[in-house]
């Protein structure tokens, strides 16, 4: 099989991989994206918070992603059925847009600009010389040589493994999550509501578009079989104990298809080695309760695009720039992962959760928040 060459090989066509590919292509780099799936990934996030929206706006993509998205600016929190606080997002709030739709838009821009995609093409072998990745062999036998390799290939990253970078994954195994898509009801159309119970359950209901809603249920793992495994416990009866203002959604829940979701945090020992770097979930993962994973990933892709273009194929310069500009992102990610841990371990305890909640991180992430950032608002 032939060996092809490019400036940058990006492994993984999720949000991180596609956005980085677009930025690099716009700077004249020849980019190849290798994706093991038949198309871009479908599962993932729904909320794009203000920092991520600002990144997209800097690259002329804000109008495109917002065209069919839904803007919201308020989340109301409940504990044991009682409304406890609200978080209001200033300046138009955040965007709800299913992950696949969002990535598809970026992918379409990539295709227009001439990024090359190889689908159904997992990484079979990674050949290194010292710290440098010399050659990638794909599952169809074809080979790719690139000046720079980016592992945007998710939490189980093959590139991270090939670079021998340590990782620590911590499953949130005290909270089993399930998600379903159901018809939109009036209460869900009105407001995003996040319910917690002192028994260790949570339920989050929000609109996806004008017709559909997403419902997340989190529960202690020992109760999953009884509720979702045919054990006879009624989901609606259990939700009734702490979900107070969204009861008009209950009718659609028993017949819904409930998909389990595995959620873990991930910390890794380094973000780059030789001519390779890690991006997005290959580099870090935090609890989805922060709602910030995509925003940080988009910002990281901006930094990587700057660094890779500035290095212009000079390995020593690339190493220096990655160390100076990209490696420090680990500190921001560490703070976000710790924050996700704090939310995930306190939500059953109202006081502890309110103490752990940080409106600045929730709204602005690691951007400098204005000095007057509101705390959670009383209702
Ligand atoms: C349940 C859940 C809810 C979330 N909600 C939010 C939210 O509301 N807001 C938010 O900002 N963030 C949220 N996040 C985080 C967000 O989904 C991630 O930050 C984001 O998806 C990271 O994008 P990515 O491109 O790194 O990874 P991914 O989207 O995981 O893409 C990785 C890609 O790499 C491919 N791949 C893997 N291995 C290989 C290989 N060997 N060869 C080729 N391709 C490979 C995969 O098929 C996949 O397409 C959530 C995460 C979860 C789990």
């Amino acid at each position: 099989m032939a060996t092809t060459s490019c400036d940058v090989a990006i492994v993984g066509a999720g949000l991180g991989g596609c956005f980085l590919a677009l930025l690099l292509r716009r700077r004249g780099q020849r980019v190849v994206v290798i994706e093991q799936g038949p198309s871009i990934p479908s599962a993932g996030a729904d909320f794009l918070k203000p920092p991520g929206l600002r990144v997209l706006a800097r690259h002329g993509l804000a109008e495109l992603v917002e065209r069919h998205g839904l803007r919201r600016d308020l989340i109301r929190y409940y504990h044991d059925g009682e409304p406890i606080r609200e978080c209001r997002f200033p300046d138009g709030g955040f965007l709800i847009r299913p992950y696949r739709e969002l990535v598809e838009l970026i992918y379409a821009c990539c295709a227009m600009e001439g990024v090359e995609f190889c689908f159904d093409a997992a990484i079979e072998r990674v050949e290194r010389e010292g710290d440098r990745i010399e050659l990638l062999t794909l599952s169809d036998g074809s080979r790719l040589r690139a000046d720079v390799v980016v592992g945007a290939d998710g939490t189980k990253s093959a590139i991270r493994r090939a670079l021998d970078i340590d990782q620590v994954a911590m499953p949130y195994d005290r909270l089993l999550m399930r998600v379903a898509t159901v018809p939109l009801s009036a209460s869900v159309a009105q407001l995003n509501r996040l319910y917690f119970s002192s028994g260790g359950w949570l339920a989050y209901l929000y609109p996806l578009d004008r017709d559909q809603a997403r419902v997340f249920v989190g529960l202690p793992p020992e109760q999953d079989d009884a509720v979702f495994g045919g054990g006879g416990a009624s989901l609606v009866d259990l939700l009734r104990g702490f979900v107070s203002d969204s009861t008009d959604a209950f009718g659609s829940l028993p017949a819904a298809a409930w998909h389990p979701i595995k959620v873990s945090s991930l910390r890794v020992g380094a973000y780059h080695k030789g001519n390779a770097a890690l991006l997005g979930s290959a580099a870090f993962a935090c609890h989805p309760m922060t709602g910030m994973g995509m925003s940080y990933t988009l910002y990281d892709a901006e930094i990587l695009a700057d660094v890779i273009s500035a290095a212009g194929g000079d390995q020593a310069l690339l190493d220096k720039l990655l160390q100076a500009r990209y490696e420090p992102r680990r500190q921001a990610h560490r703070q976000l992962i710790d924050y996700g841990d704090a939310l995930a371990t306190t939500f059953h305890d109202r006081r502890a959760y309110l103490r752990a909640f940080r409106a600045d991180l929730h709204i602005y992430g690691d951007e400098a928040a204005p000095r007057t950032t509101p705390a959670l608002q009383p209702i």
Side-chain angles (χ1 to χ4, degrees):
M1 278 259 187
T3 302
T4 51
S5 301
C6 63
D7 298 319
V8 187
I10 299 174
V11 184
L15 182 70
C18 285
F19 186 57
L20 176 63
L22 179 64
L23 298 186
L24 287 168
R25 183 68 202 133
R26 284 180 173 177
R27 291 168 186 216
Q29 305 270 329
R30 190 180 162 217
V31 185
V32 176
V33 181
I34 300 149
E35 167 58 50
Q36 67 180 1
S39 64
I40 55 168
S42 55
D46 288 326
F47 296 98
L48 189 55
K49 295 262 191 89
L53 287 167
R54 280 191 273 277
V55 174
L56 293 178
R58 285 199 281 276
H59 300 279
L61 296 166
E63 202 193 310
L64 180 72
V65 301
E66 292 201 30
R67 206 170 291 153
H68 303 287
L70 206 60
R71 276 279 196 168
R72 307 289 269 188
D73 65 359
L74 193 69
I75 303 174
R76 182 171 293 170
Y77 296 83
Y78 292 72
H79 189 260
D80 287 343
E82 190 188 325
I84 50 169
R85 289 288 192 279
E86 288 180 347
C87 184
R88 187 173 288 282
F89 289 70
D91 307 326
F94 55 89
L95 184 79
I96 302 183
R97 189 104 211 228
Y99 190 64
R100 187 180 178 91
E101 283 182 29
L102 183 64
V103 183
E104 237 161 27
L105 291 171
I106 314 274
Y107 165 72
C109 296
C110 285
M112 264 183 346
E113 306 251 0
V115 175
E116 220 176 290
F117 281 81
C118 307
F119 288 106
D120 284 321
I123 298 293
E124 195 73 26
R125 202 163 69 238
V126 178
E127 285 171 44
R128 274 172 55 182
E129 215 175 281
D131 280 347
R132 198 182 152 78
I133 293 182
E134 286 295 334
L135 196 64
L136 298 171
T137 304
L138 311 191
S139 43
D140 65 359
S142 61
R143 296 185 305 177
L144 185 63
R145 201 177 286 286
D147 287 344
V148 182
V149 175
V150 176
D153 49 348
T155 49
K156 294 188 178 132
S157 173
I159 296 300
R160 191 181 64 231
R161 263 181 285 129
L163 294 171
D164 297 321
I165 292 178
D166 302 336
Q167 50 100 17
V168 180
M170 299 284 282
Y172 292 100
D173 49 14
R174 288 306 308 146
L175 180 66
L176 215 140
M177 302 277 282
R178 289 194 174 257
V179 64
T181 306
V182 300
L184 185 64
S185 64
S187 70
V188 182
Q190 184 203 21
L191 204 59
N192 285 25
R193 291 183 166 91
L194 177 48
Y195 297 89
F196 300 125
S197 87
S198 43
W201 280 63
L202 68 81
Y204 192 18
L205 301 94
Y206 55 88
L208 271 187
D209 52 35
R210 290 208 180 89
D211 304 312
Q212 301 183 96
R214 199 84 91 195
V215 183
F216 272 87
V217 169
L219 70 168
E222 58 276 11
Q223 289 180 271
D224 188 65
D225 240 16
V227 180
F228 293 104
S234 155
L235 173 65
V236 168
D237 285 348
L238 288 157
L239 292 179
R240 245 183 245 291
F242 69 102
V243 175
S244 45
D245 286 341
S246 311
T247 51
D248 61 353
F250 285 177
S252 59
L253 301 187
W258 289 94
H259 303 285
I261 302 172
K262 283 202 176 130
V263 184
S264 300
S265 70
L266 175 78
R267 298 165 200 257
V268 311
Y271 280 10
H272 72 103
K273 200 172 197 180
N275 62 338
L278 303 173
L279 174 65
S281 301
F284 79 101
C286 57
H287 198 280
M289 273 197 218
T290 67
M292 277 291 173
M294 290 197 291
S295 288
Y296 280 49
T297 297
L298 290 169
Y299 184 64
D300 298 342
E302 253 187 337
I303 298 176
L304 268 185
D306 280 352
V307 163
I308 293 169
S309 319
D314 177 333
Q315 172 67 57
L317 183 57
L318 177 72
D319 197 57
K320 198 170 138 197
L321 292 174
L322 284 171
Q323 189 60 32
R325 296 208 42 213
Y326 194 55
E327 196 67 29
R329 290 296 292 157
R330 280 189 333 129
Q331 198 173 330
H333 296 165
R334 203 176 306 136
Q335 180 192 43
L336 189 68
I337 298 166
D338 288 346
Y339 179 53
D341 284 356
L343 295 180
T345 51
T346 57
F347 70 86
H348 61 281
D349 174 340
R350 181 184 310 201
R351 281 165 182 261
Y353 181 80
L354 292 177
R355 269 200 308 273
F357 193 94
R358 285 187 51 185
D360 59 338
L361 272 182
H362 240 76
I363 298 169
Y364 299 100
D366 64 324
E367 285 181 344
R371 263 199 273 169
T372 51
T373 310
L376 276 177
Q377 300 293 302
I379 295 167

